[in-house]
Amino acid sequence: MFKKVLIANRGEIACRVIRACRELGVKTVAIHSEADKESMHVKLADQSICVGPATSSESYLNIPSIIAAAEISGADAIHPGYGFLAENTYFAEVCETCGIKFIGPKKESIEKMGDKIAAIALMKKAGVPVVPGSGGPVDADDPKVAALAKKIGYPVIIKATAGGGGKGMRIVVSEETLRNSIIMAQEEAKRAFGNPDVYMEKYVEEPHHIEFQILGDAYGKVCYLPERDCSIQRRHQKLVEESPSPFIDDALRKKMGKAAKNAAAAVGYVTVGTVEFLVDKNKKFYFMEMNTRIQVEHPVTEMITGIDLVKEQIKLAAGEKLSFNSEKIKILGHSIECRINAEDPDKDFIPCPGKIGKLYLPGGPGIRLDTHVYSGYTIPPFYDSLIAKIISFGENREESILRMQRALKEVEIEGIKNTSSLHYKIMSNGQFRKGGVATDFLPKYIFGR
């Protein structure tokens, strides 16, 4: 096991990793920007080091400073959390070169899955269903692109080959808007990821976003855990996740789980990751992407399986063997996660940084809270707007929803706008309570667009 882990991240995920390390008897080092010196993760860690100014490029993305912090502190491993450098092949390679263990998959796995086009080709070879598409980059000025879109069949979706989170993505319903959509997607992809390449796929209408947690050890063993339903989104970014999915039955769970396992095996996957699928209304599923890191929504899987995924991730990176099989995992109940963001949902989710005054976050039976904020803390404007995750657990979905409603009613956050009231509306919505909603849920049933 590692002696000291440096967490190359911030916020709630940094706190989560520190807690897992503490339970494993591992010392921790928190890095922080100048803007984050009062953040909770800095207070929780055994040691903290400032790695640069407020902007991410000068701090949390500053590889030389992070490596220097690891060497100065004597850390023998780095946990990247999610976002920032978590899926950066170069960072994983630098860690390896410097003799510091990167707590994540091998750099080759990150590279294969980071290029969406290459990933799709690899999945096809592994027998994993994929969405019909271009099979390579498309360009707005290519005279063949319109014929290709027609062959695939409208609507189509343009996607960035690198990155995710809804960036560099455009839905196209007709040839008239195809060229401009490609150009806009290319420009957005270049700004977000430094790579303007985009590809084209058939747009699956009214899709359900279903993902499977996978784990692999260094000895070739891979397993999957029960699915998470991440269909409630805004601008292709998740807001609510639950497990198990009310849309998936046992037969489909096993079929999709096997596909996820095959996907992981195809890249020799080690540690934890997620294979994401789109499932149409007829329950036909397609590979979407693989995230080579821990996910924001990992707690719902932990709640229904009793498996600590962050501790497993660290143990697998340290060379321990996977101690369980997919077939022996039992679903213990139902769990829902609501992401509480410092945003105004009534103003198109505009970020709302600022100082938190009075603060009350919920607890009680069946409620877990993952956060890094406290009364008097100032949310900086430089980073992601996630401030807390409320996770409910019940013996069944109805109990989990009722507990989440109770928890959301208790939330008090003065000084900033936040999304807790929106989540209460979602939990109270009749369509949501029926289960099995698609990714068009928010505009269709909450905002009425």
PDB file of all heavy atoms in Angstrom, residues 359-380:
ATOM      1  N   LEU A 359     -25.730  28.304   6.750  1.00  0.00           N
ATOM      2  CA  LEU A 359     -25.686  27.064   5.995  1.00  0.00           C
ATOM      3  C   LEU A 359     -26.226  25.916   6.834  1.00  0.00           C
ATOM      4  O   LEU A 359     -25.792  25.696   7.974  1.00  0.00           O
ATOM      5  CB  LEU A 359     -24.247  26.742   5.579  1.00  0.00           C
ATOM      6  CG  LEU A 359     -24.024  25.402   4.852  1.00  0.00           C
ATOM      7  CD1 LEU A 359     -24.657  25.423   3.472  1.00  0.00           C
ATOM      8  CD2 LEU A 359     -22.541  25.082   4.754  1.00  0.00           C
ATOM      9  N   TYR A 360     -27.202  25.207   6.280  1.00  0.00           N
ATOM     10  CA  TYR A 360     -27.655  23.966   6.900  1.00  0.00           C
ATOM     11  C   TYR A 360     -27.811  22.928   5.807  1.00  0.00           C
ATOM     12  O   TYR A 360     -28.573  23.119   4.865  1.00  0.00           O
ATOM     13  CB  TYR A 360     -28.979  24.126   7.648  1.00  0.00           C
ATOM     14  CG  TYR A 360     -29.392  22.823   8.311  1.00  0.00           C
ATOM     15  CD1 TYR A 360     -28.847  22.456   9.540  1.00  0.00           C
ATOM     16  CD2 TYR A 360     -30.255  21.935   7.680  1.00  0.00           C
ATOM     17  CE1 TYR A 360     -29.168  21.237  10.129  1.00  0.00           C
ATOM     18  CE2 TYR A 360     -30.585  20.713   8.250  1.00  0.00           C
ATOM     19  CZ  TYR A 360     -30.035  20.373   9.479  1.00  0.00           C
ATOM     20  OH  TYR A 360     -30.339  19.164  10.048  1.00  0.00           O
ATOM     21  N   LEU A 361     -27.057  21.844   5.937  1.00  0.00           N
ATOM     22  CA  LEU A 361     -27.143  20.744   4.995  1.00  0.00           C
ATOM     23  C   LEU A 361     -27.687  19.520   5.718  1.00  0.00           C
ATOM     24  O   LEU A 361     -27.389  19.305   6.900  1.00  0.00           O
ATOM     25  CB  LEU A 361     -25.767  20.460   4.379  1.00  0.00           C
ATOM     26  CG  LEU A 361     -25.223  21.602   3.492  1.00  0.00           C
ATOM     27  CD1 LEU A 361     -23.800  21.317   3.061  1.00  0.00           C
ATOM     28  CD2 LEU A 361     -26.115  21.817   2.265  1.00  0.00           C
ATOM     29  N   PRO A 362     -28.491  18.712   5.048  1.00  0.00           N
ATOM     30  CA  PRO A 362     -29.284  17.671   5.725  1.00  0.00           C
ATOM     31  C   PRO A 362     -28.505  16.437   6.153  1.00  0.00           C
ATOM     32  O   PRO A 362     -27.386  16.185   5.712  1.00  0.00           O
ATOM     33  CB  PRO A 362     -30.323  17.311   4.665  1.00  0.00           C
ATOM     34  CG  PRO A 362     -29.619  17.561   3.371  1.00  0.00           C
ATOM     35  CD  PRO A 362     -28.761  18.761   3.607  1.00  0.00           C
ATOM     36  N   GLY A 363     -29.150  15.646   6.976  1.00  0.00           N
ATOM     37  CA  GLY A 363     -28.629  14.362   7.424  1.00  0.00           C
ATOM     38  C   GLY A 363     -29.799  13.461   7.762  1.00  0.00           C
ATOM     39  O   GLY A 363     -30.859  13.560   7.159  1.00  0.00           O
ATOM     40  N   GLY A 364     -29.628  12.614   8.752  1.00  0.00           N
ATOM     41  CA  GLY A 364     -30.712  11.717   9.156  1.00  0.00           C
ATOM     42  C   GLY A 364     -30.650  10.374   8.455  1.00  0.00           C
ATOM     43  O   GLY A 364     -29.785  10.131   7.613  1.00  0.00           O
ATOM     44  N   PRO A 365     -31.589   9.488   8.775  1.00  0.00           N
ATOM     45  CA  PRO A 365     -31.590   8.129   8.211  1.00  0.00           C
ATOM     46  C   PRO A 365     -31.596   8.129   6.684  1.00  0.00           C
ATOM     47  O   PRO A 365     -32.372   8.843   6.052  1.00  0.00           O
ATOM     48  CB  PRO A 365     -32.897   7.530   8.751  1.00  0.00           C
ATOM     49  CG  PRO A 365     -33.170   8.298   9.996  1.00  0.00           C
ATOM     50  CD  PRO A 365     -32.690   9.690   9.730  1.00  0.00           C
ATOM     51  N   GLY A 366     -30.708   7.330   6.113  1.00  0.00           N
ATOM     52  CA  GLY A 366     -30.689   7.141   4.667  1.00  0.00           C
ATOM     53  C   GLY A 366     -30.169   8.308   3.867  1.00  0.00           C
ATOM     54  O   GLY A 366     -30.376   8.360   2.657  1.00  0.00           O
ATOM     55  N   ILE A 367     -29.463   9.258   4.491  1.00  0.00           N
ATOM     56  CA  ILE A 367     -28.934  10.417   3.765  1.00  0.00           C
ATOM     57  C   ILE A 367     -27.417  10.503   3.946  1.00  0.00           C
ATOM     58  O   ILE A 367     -26.904  10.450   5.063  1.00  0.00           O
ATOM     59  CB  ILE A 367     -29.568  11.740   4.244  1.00  0.00           C
ATOM     60  CG1 ILE A 367     -31.061  11.759   3.897  1.00  0.00           C
ATOM     61  CG2 ILE A 367     -28.863  12.955   3.622  1.00  0.00           C
ATOM     62  CD1 ILE A 367     -31.388  11.735   2.408  1.00  0.00           C
ATOM     63  N   ARG A 368     -26.720  10.617   2.842  1.00  0.00           N
ATOM     64  CA  ARG A 368     -25.269  10.840   2.832  1.00  0.00           C
ATOM     65  C   ARG A 368     -25.001  12.192   2.199  1.00  0.00           C
ATOM     66  O   ARG A 368     -25.683  12.589   1.251  1.00  0.00           O
ATOM     67  CB  ARG A 368     -24.583   9.727   2.042  1.00  0.00           C
ATOM     68  CG  ARG A 368     -23.111  10.001   1.687  1.00  0.00           C
ATOM     69  CD  ARG A 368     -22.497   8.825   0.964  1.00  0.00           C
ATOM     70  NE  ARG A 368     -21.266   9.186   0.287  1.00  0.00           N
ATOM     71  CZ  ARG A 368     -20.503   8.347  -0.409  1.00  0.00           C
ATOM     72  NH1 ARG A 368     -20.850   7.072  -0.488  1.00  0.00           N
ATOM     73  NH2 ARG A 368     -19.396   8.751  -1.017  1.00  0.00           N
ATOM     74  N   LEU A 369     -23.995  12.889   2.699  1.00  0.00           N
ATOM     75  CA  LEU A 369     -23.660  14.212   2.183  1.00  0.00           C
ATOM     76  C   LEU A 369     -22.181  14.265   1.849  1.00  0.00           C
ATOM     77  O   LEU A 369     -21.334  14.014   2.704  1.00  0.00           O
ATOM     78  CB  LEU A 369     -24.006  15.277   3.220  1.00  0.00           C
ATOM     79  CG  LEU A 369     -23.750  16.733   2.817  1.00  0.00           C
ATOM     80  CD1 LEU A 369     -24.755  17.176   1.761  1.00  0.00           C
ATOM     81  CD2 LEU A 369     -23.840  17.641   4.036  1.00  0.00           C
ATOM     82  N   ASP A 370     -21.850  14.590   0.599  1.00  0.00           N
ATOM     83  CA  ASP A 370     -20.461  14.801   0.184  1.00  0.00           C
ATOM     84  C   ASP A 370     -20.316  16.269  -0.201  1.00  0.00           C
ATOM     85  O   ASP A 370     -20.974  16.741  -1.147  1.00  0.00           O
ATOM     86  CB  ASP A 370     -20.123  13.917  -1.030  1.00  0.00           C
ATOM     87  CG  ASP A 370     -19.918  12.461  -0.657  1.00  0.00           C
ATOM     88  OD1 ASP A 370     -20.334  12.066   0.456  1.00  0.00           O
ATOM     89  OD2 ASP A 370     -19.352  11.713  -1.481  1.00  0.00           O
ATOM     90  N   THR A 371     -19.478  17.007   0.517  1.00  0.00           N
ATOM     91  CA  THR A 371     -19.337  18.447   0.255  1.00  0.00           C
ATOM     92  C   THR A 371     -17.991  18.945   0.751  1.00  0.00           C
ATOM     93  O   THR A 371     -17.277  18.252   1.487  1.00  0.00           O
ATOM     94  CB  THR A 371     -20.470  19.241   0.928  1.00  0.00           C
ATOM     95  OG1 THR A 371     -20.398  20.611   0.508  1.00  0.00           O
ATOM     96  CG2 THR A 371     -20.360  19.178   2.443  1.00  0.00           C
ATOM     97  N   HIS A 372     -17.659  20.172   0.350  1.00  0.00           N
ATOM     98  CA  HIS A 372     -16.440  20.829   0.827  1.00  0.00           C
ATOM     99  C   HIS A 372     -16.739  22.242   1.327  1.00  0.00           C
ATOM    100  O   HIS A 372     -15.825  22.989   1.644  1.00  0.00           O
ATOM    101  CB  HIS A 372     -15.404  20.909  -0.305  1.00  0.00           C
ATOM    102  CG  HIS A 372     -15.841  21.770  -1.462  1.00  0.00           C
ATOM    103  ND1 HIS A 372     -16.808  21.366  -2.353  1.00  0.00           N
ATOM    104  CD2 HIS A 372     -15.462  23.012  -1.855  1.00  0.00           C
ATOM    105  CE1 HIS A 372     -16.983  22.322  -3.254  1.00  0.00           C
ATOM    106  NE2 HIS A 372     -16.192  23.335  -2.973  1.00  0.00           N
ATOM    107  N   VAL A 373     -18.018  22.612   1.402  1.00  0.00           N
ATOM    108  CA  VAL A 373     -18.359  23.983   1.780  1.00  0.00           C
ATOM    109  C   VAL A 373     -18.800  24.051   3.241  1.00  0.00           C
ATOM    110  O   VAL A 373     -19.194  23.046   3.836  1.00  0.00           O
ATOM    111  CB  VAL A 373     -19.455  24.568   0.866  1.00  0.00           C
ATOM    112  CG1 VAL A 373     -19.019  24.528  -0.588  1.00  0.00           C
ATOM    113  CG2 VAL A 373     -20.790  23.838   1.037  1.00  0.00           C
ATOM    114  N   TYR A 374     -18.744  25.250   3.789  1.00  0.00           N
ATOM    115  CA  TYR A 374     -19.137  25.493   5.175  1.00  0.00           C
ATOM    116  C   TYR A 374     -19.556  26.956   5.303  1.00  0.00           C
ATOM    117  O   TYR A 374     -19.299  27.781   4.395  1.00  0.00           O
ATOM    118  CB  TYR A 374     -17.981  25.163   6.128  1.00  0.00           C
ATOM    119  CG  TYR A 374     -16.673  25.847   5.776  1.00  0.00           C
ATOM    120  CD1 TYR A 374     -16.364  27.116   6.268  1.00  0.00           C
ATOM    121  CD2 TYR A 374     -15.733  25.218   4.951  1.00  0.00           C
ATOM    122  CE1 TYR A 374     -15.173  27.747   5.945  1.00  0.00           C
ATOM    123  CE2 TYR A 374     -14.542  25.846   4.609  1.00  0.00           C
ATOM    124  CZ  TYR A 374     -14.262  27.113   5.122  1.00  0.00           C
ATOM    125  OH  TYR A 374     -13.078  27.737   4.784  1.00  0.00           O
ATOM    126  N   SER A 375     -20.202  27.292   6.397  1.00  0.00           N
ATOM    127  CA  SER A 375     -20.646  28.666   6.630  1.00  0.00           C
ATOM    128  C   SER A 375     -19.436  29.597   6.677  1.00  0.00           C
ATOM    129  O   SER A 375     -18.464  29.330   7.389  1.00  0.00           O
ATOM    130  CB  SER A 375     -21.427  28.762   7.945  1.00  0.00           C
ATOM    131  OG  SER A 375     -21.886  30.071   8.155  1.00  0.00           O
ATOM    132  N   GLY A 376     -19.491  30.672   5.887  1.00  0.00           N
ATOM    133  CA  GLY A 376     -18.374  31.607   5.820  1.00  0.00           C
ATOM    134  C   GLY A 376     -17.418  31.332   4.671  1.00  0.00           C
ATOM    135  O   GLY A 376     -16.550  32.159   4.370  1.00  0.00           O
ATOM    136  N   TYR A 377     -17.587  30.182   4.004  1.00  0.00           N
ATOM    137  CA  TYR A 377     -16.723  29.835   2.872  1.00  0.00           C
ATOM    138  C   TYR A 377     -17.132  30.641   1.637  1.00  0.00           C
ATOM    139  O   TYR A 377     -18.318  30.816   1.359  1.00  0.00           O
ATOM    140  CB  TYR A 377     -16.838  28.342   2.578  1.00  0.00           C
ATOM    141  CG  TYR A 377     -16.099  27.875   1.337  1.00  0.00           C
ATOM    142  CD1 TYR A 377     -14.713  27.864   1.288  1.00  0.00           C
ATOM    143  CD2 TYR A 377     -16.794  27.446   0.210  1.00  0.00           C
ATOM    144  CE1 TYR A 377     -14.027  27.432   0.158  1.00  0.00           C
ATOM    145  CE2 TYR A 377     -16.134  27.003  -0.924  1.00  0.00           C
ATOM    146  CZ  TYR A 377     -14.743  27.004  -0.947  1.00  0.00           C
ATOM    147  OH  TYR A 377     -14.078  26.580  -2.071  1.00  0.00           O
ATOM    148  N   THR A 378     -16.155  31.112   0.892  1.00  0.00           N
ATOM    149  CA  THR A 378     -16.417  31.845  -0.349  1.00  0.00           C
ATOM    150  C   THR A 378     -16.191  30.932  -1.539  1.00  0.00           C
ATOM    151  O   THR A 378     -15.082  30.404  -1.731  1.00  0.00           O
ATOM    152  CB  THR A 378     -15.517  33.086  -0.468  1.00  0.00           C
ATOM    153  OG1 THR A 378     -15.790  33.976   0.623  1.00  0.00           O
ATOM    154  CG2 THR A 378     -15.776  33.815  -1.780  1.00  0.00           C
ATOM    155  N   ILE A 379     -17.237  30.731  -2.320  1.00  0.00           N
ATOM    156  CA  ILE A 379     -17.136  29.908  -3.529  1.00  0.00           C
ATOM    157  C   ILE A 379     -16.448  30.735  -4.609  1.00  0.00           C
ATOM    158  O   ILE A 379     -16.958  31.774  -5.034  1.00  0.00           O
ATOM    159  CB  ILE A 379     -18.526  29.472  -4.010  1.00  0.00           C
ATOM    160  CG1 ILE A 379     -19.217  28.632  -2.932  1.00  0.00           C
ATOM    161  CG2 ILE A 379     -18.428  28.686  -5.312  1.00  0.00           C
ATOM    162  CD1 ILE A 379     -20.695  28.459  -3.158  1.00  0.00           C
ATOM    163  N   PRO A 380     -15.264  30.310  -5.068  1.00  0.00           N
ATOM    164  CA  PRO A 380     -14.546  31.086  -6.083  1.00  0.00           C
ATOM    165  C   PRO A 380     -15.195  30.958  -7.456  1.00  0.00           C
ATOM    166  O   PRO A 380     -15.867  29.955  -7.739  1.00  0.00           O
ATOM    167  CB  PRO A 380     -13.142  30.471  -6.065  1.00  0.00           C
ATOM    168  CG  PRO A 380     -13.334  29.095  -5.548  1.00  0.00           C
ATOM    169  CD  PRO A 380     -14.513  29.130  -4.629  1.00  0.00           C
TER     170      PRO A 380
END
